[in-house]
């Protein structure tokens, strides 16, 4: 063995994180383009989906659920309110606070958001078999749990929804 040279090992440090970041950015860009057709900007869909899921929410609760700061949510609410997509009402528990709800137009846009998500997902998963998609989702869920084990993850619900969508379409 003295005459044999060891093969250089390829340093793959950061490769997974880079790939996940690239996929996340590309999927978000693709989805954002589709949402623009419905007058929505990146991030507004997440706020609207939270309202659709939970009903009325205080701006602080929205900010917390989205992992952003309150001023960001306040600006988004103002823009969506100007479009007639959400409305603010005084909180029945505390008159100093408001609660945000989707309007009828907002509920219509939820359908457009869901359609855009399905189209983006379908494009992203083109050529994959159901089993491969399930494995991918399981691995991504495990990676997510490893990176943030303290958080109660809504991602598992997203993964379950994604799996059911894939099963419906195939």
């Amino acid at each position: 063995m003295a005459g044999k040279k060891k093969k250089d090992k390829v340093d793959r440090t950061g490769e997974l994180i880079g790939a996940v970041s690239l996929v996340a950015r590309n999927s978000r860009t693709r989805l954002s383009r589709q949402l623009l057709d419905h007058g929505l900007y990146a991030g507004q869909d997440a706020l609207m989906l939270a309202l659709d899921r939970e009903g009325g929410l205080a701006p602080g609760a929205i900010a917390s659920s989205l992992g952003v700061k309150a001023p960001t949510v306040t600006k988004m609410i103002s823009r969506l309110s100007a479009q007639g997509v959400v409305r603010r009402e005084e909180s029945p528990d505390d008159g100093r606070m408001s609660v945000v709800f989707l309007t009828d137009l907002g509920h219509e846009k939820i359908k457009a958001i869901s359609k855009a998500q399905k189209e983006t997902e379908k494009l992203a998963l083109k050529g994959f078999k159901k089993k491969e998609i399930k494995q991918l989702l399981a691995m991504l869920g495990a990676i997510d749990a490893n990176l943030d084990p303290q958080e109660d993850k809504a991602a598992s619900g997203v993964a379950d929804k994604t799996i059911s969508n894939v099963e419906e379409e195939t």
Side-chain angles (χ1 to χ4, degrees):
M1 280 229 171
K4 290 189 178 184
K5 194 175 179 181
K6 284 185 176 180
K7 288 187 179 181
D8 291 331
K9 287 188 174 183
V10 177
D11 183 7
R12 296 184 181 254
T13 304
E15 188 175 355
L16 173 68
I17 298 302
V20 169
S21 295
L22 180 63
V23 169
R25 185 176 57 244
N26 286 339
S27 64
R28 191 70 198 153
T29 298
R30 176 64 71 150
L31 179 60
S32 293
R33 286 183 190 146
Q34 291 183 13
L35 292 173
L36 273 175
D37 293 341
H38 302 283
L40 298 172
Y41 294 98
Q44 291 178 332
D45 58 323
L47 185 151
M48 292 175 62
L49 289 169
L51 290 175
D52 187 54
R53 223 179 11 258
E54 303 294 330
L57 289 171
I62 297 169
S64 178
S65 75
L66 299 180
V68 298
K69 298 191 185 235
T72 302
V73 168
T74 300
K75 185 184 255 186
M76 287 173 33
I77 291 168
S78 293
R79 288 181 176 163
L80 290 168
S81 181
Q83 291 178 293
V85 177
V86 300
R87 72 179 189 285
R88 296 177 206 187
E89 294 181 10
E90 187 177 291
S91 170
D93 301 327
D94 184 349
R96 298 170 294 166
M97 295 185 61
S98 65
V99 179
V100 183
F101 295 89
L102 288 174
T103 62
D104 289 341
L105 177 60
H107 286 289
E108 287 177 28
K109 293 217 182 234
I110 290 294
K111 294 173 189 168
I113 291 169
S114 295
K115 183 178 178 188
Q117 287 177 331
K118 285 178 184 177
E119 289 173 3
T120 302
E121 203 169 85
K122 186 176 179 179
L123 179 63
L125 298 173
K126 185 172 132 184
F128 285 85
K129 295 179 175 128
K130 277 189 209 180
K131 183 178 180 180
E132 293 170 325
I133 294 167
K134 286 182 179 181
Q135 290 171 333
L136 174 62
L137 290 169
M139 288 186 280
L140 288 172
I143 290 169
D144 188 43
N146 289 342
L147 293 173
D148 198 358
Q150 302 304 316
E151 292 292 322
D152 178 26
K153 291 296 168 188
S156 63
V158 171
D160 293 342
K161 184 177 177 186
T162 301
I163 290 169
S164 66
N165 286 343
V166 168
E167 289 173 347
E168 288 173 12
E169 292 176 9
T170 53

